[in-house]
Amino acid sequence: MKVAIYCRLSEEDRNKQFETDDSNSIQNQKAMLLQYAMEQGWELYNIYSDDDYTGSDRRRPEFNRLLKDAEQHRFDIILCKTQSRFTRELELVEKYIHGLFPIWGIRFISIVDNADTANKGNKKSRQINGLVNEWYLEDMSENIRSVLTNRRKNGFHIGAFALYGYKKDPDQKGHLIIDEEAAAVVREVFTLFSQGYGKTAIARMLNDRGIPNPTEYKRLHGLRYQQPKTKNSTLWKYFAISDMLINEIYIGNMVQGKYGSISYKTKQNKPRPKSEWYIVEGTHEPIIDRELWDKVQALIAQRAKPFDVGTIGLFARKARCANCGYTMRSSKNHNKHYLQCSNRHVAKDACIGSFISVDKLERMVIDEINKLAAEYLDKDELEQNIEFCDNLQGQKKRLLSDIAVYEKKVAEFSKGIRELYMDKVKGLISESDYVEMSKDFTTERDRLERVIADGEKQLAEIEEKIAVGDNRRQIIEQYSNLEHLTREIVEILIDYISVGKRIPGTRDVPIEIHWNF
């Protein structure tokens, strides 16, 4: 029998009351499990060890390698110190220990809590262990959240990394001290902006001098920060400068809680409204003095006002560079507005750039709208469109009928699986018969669920086509024979416009309009 040993050490295991208490160390886990395997006369296949990972983290590299090897049946037994070392999630206990491992012919054993899938009598205890571990995760999450919230409210820094310009105080946990090397760059950015330099121009100046952006700066200083994946990810850009100029941490105020986790089971975060941020004043030494800060904020407020007497730009946030996908920004020269890709200005070779006047783009969009109006207001075309919609309604009706039949069959298979489980509990069928029969039921049910998902996807596409067919004539007729565009028209009709670089030797600029209909 070949055995795979799995060990896991999480950060909470390191914080023991006494330094000598190393009962949960990786070394002790390995020694205990190796001795047990040797006593049983099993052959060691491999040791899988995840260091500094929690039992709820599904992205553990060795854990996932173990599961992959288990599926290929490269060993017969998985041996852990406790069930919680393998996972603390009840969902994964059911999925693997009670579900897939028996199907794959893998026996799961944990020494301390006596979990052993070869012993059918202790399945309930394994489920109870899983439930207790799940409760532990939830309680631990709430406790950690409560502690972090309290520390945020009291102005302690709790992030993994300090904001660019600062570093963590080695003598006082939760306190920030100035990192003079980065702070000099922060002061320069604020000073340049106060002198009238634009955000893109400041980014270009920093890049031309080879100053690494905040992400690259962390990596170069040995912090455990993800390696940049692309060349341009090491460059300063407009938004890095923009975010810096409005961050109150630079005037000594601690600002935290901008993002919040969705659930203790996922690391995914979502933005929180500013009213829910934690802002505590005067928690650390400021890099920017109040006079310079106020001047910069006044300039930002002044520049943020919409141009052309209170109206927002006609194609604001709608025009994108076809070469790099960057949102094009407005500029003004001799009372004429232009759109350009500012990414080409942040550094040499960052982008070949796109450029077009707002007037020219407006004329091109109007021409396209008029072409659409002439095409779709044609009587013959409209009649064909109506017939097309009728055909789609028929397809929709047939799909709904098929999906209803499949859903009924899925319900029947689910009921069959439940009845098989009850028969197994009552002792009417054996564990092996249950696994074999439920496998067939589950396979067919999963296949039907995939068919239903495909059908629902087709249904959504058909409904979208029907909606487009129904509203296309109304929309085009309303906006036909236009002479000028308004921001309202652009918002209603256009999702975004991809603008390319001017074709050499001509005045033609290629564009691609993505409509909202």
Side-chain angles (χ1 to χ4, degrees), residues 6-102:
Y6 179 72
C7 307
R8 178 181 63 79
L9 179 69
S10 60
E11 186 60 36
E12 62 263 26
D13 296 321
R14 302 179 188 277
N15 301 326
K16 296 297 178 183
Q17 186 175 0
F18 304 105
E19 290 185 7
T20 55
D21 184 4
D22 60 352
S23 61
N24 283 321
S25 71
I26 289 289
Q27 292 80 6
N28 274 7
Q29 285 184 53
K30 289 179 181 177
M32 175 192 293
L33 298 172
L34 281 169
Q35 182 178 352
Y36 185 89
M38 187 170 56
E39 290 172 354
Q40 302 300 317
W42 296 332
E43 177 188 347
L44 177 66
Y45 173 75
N46 201 355
I47 297 178
Y48 303 79
S49 178
D50 282 314
D51 201 359
D52 197 10
Y53 285 91
T54 66
S56 61
D57 192 343
R58 300 189 181 193
R59 298 178 297 178
R60 289 173 275 163
E62 289 293 280
F63 175 77
N64 286 298
R65 191 165 72 91
L66 171 78
L67 295 178
K68 185 177 179 181
D69 289 348
E71 185 175 8
Q72 297 174 3
H73 204 150
R74 294 182 174 177
F75 45 78
D76 307 289
I77 301 167
I78 292 176
L79 184 63
C80 299
K81 180 184 176 183
T82 62
Q83 184 175 302
S84 64
R85 290 290 137 189
F86 177 75
T87 182
R88 288 192 182 275
E89 290 191 67
L90 181 59
E91 181 185 344
L92 294 188
V93 170
E94 292 298 324
K95 180 178 180 180
Y96 290 107
I97 296 179
H98 296 150
L100 292 174
F101 286 171

Side-chain angles (χ1 to χ4, degrees), residues 122-134:
N122 75 1
K123 180 177 180 180
K124 288 182 179 178
S125 66
R126 296 196 300 271
Q127 290 174 322
I128 291 171
N129 283 340
L131 187 58
V132 169
N133 286 321
E134 183 84 20

Side-chain angles (χ1 to χ4, degrees), residues 66-172:
L66 171 78
L67 295 178
K68 185 177 179 181
D69 289 348
E71 185 175 8
Q72 297 174 3
H73 204 150
R74 294 182 174 177
F75 45 78
D76 307 289
I77 301 167
I78 292 176
L79 184 63
C80 299
K81 180 184 176 183
T82 62
Q83 184 175 302
S84 64
R85 290 290 137 189
F86 177 75
T87 182
R88 288 192 182 275
E89 290 191 67
L90 181 59
E91 181 185 344
L92 294 188
V93 170
E94 292 298 324
K95 180 178 180 180
Y96 290 107
I97 296 179
H98 296 150
L100 292 174
F101 286 171
I103 295 173
W104 295 341
I106 301 293
R107 179 182 176 188
F108 178 86
I109 301 173
S110 60
I111 300 174
V112 174
D113 46 12
N114 297 313
D116 186 350
T117 52
N119 181 358
K120 297 181 175 60
N122 75 1
K123 180 177 180 180
K124 288 182 179 178
S125 66
R126 296 196 300 271
Q127 290 174 322
I128 291 171
N129 283 340
L131 187 58
V132 169
N133 286 321
E134 183 84 20
W135 288 341
Y136 169 80
L137 279 179
E138 190 170 1
D139 290 344
M140 183 175 67
S141 174
E142 287 302 318
N143 290 337
I144 292 174
R145 188 188 301 272
S146 176
V147 171
L148 294 181
T149 297
N150 184 62
R151 289 183 64 79
R152 285 188 181 111
K153 287 180 178 178
N154 286 286
F156 292 100
H157 180 266
I158 63 169
F161 303 97
L163 181 70
Y164 181 77
Y166 288 96
K167 57 186 177 181
K168 293 183 177 182
D169 189 342
D171 301 322
Q172 185 179 346

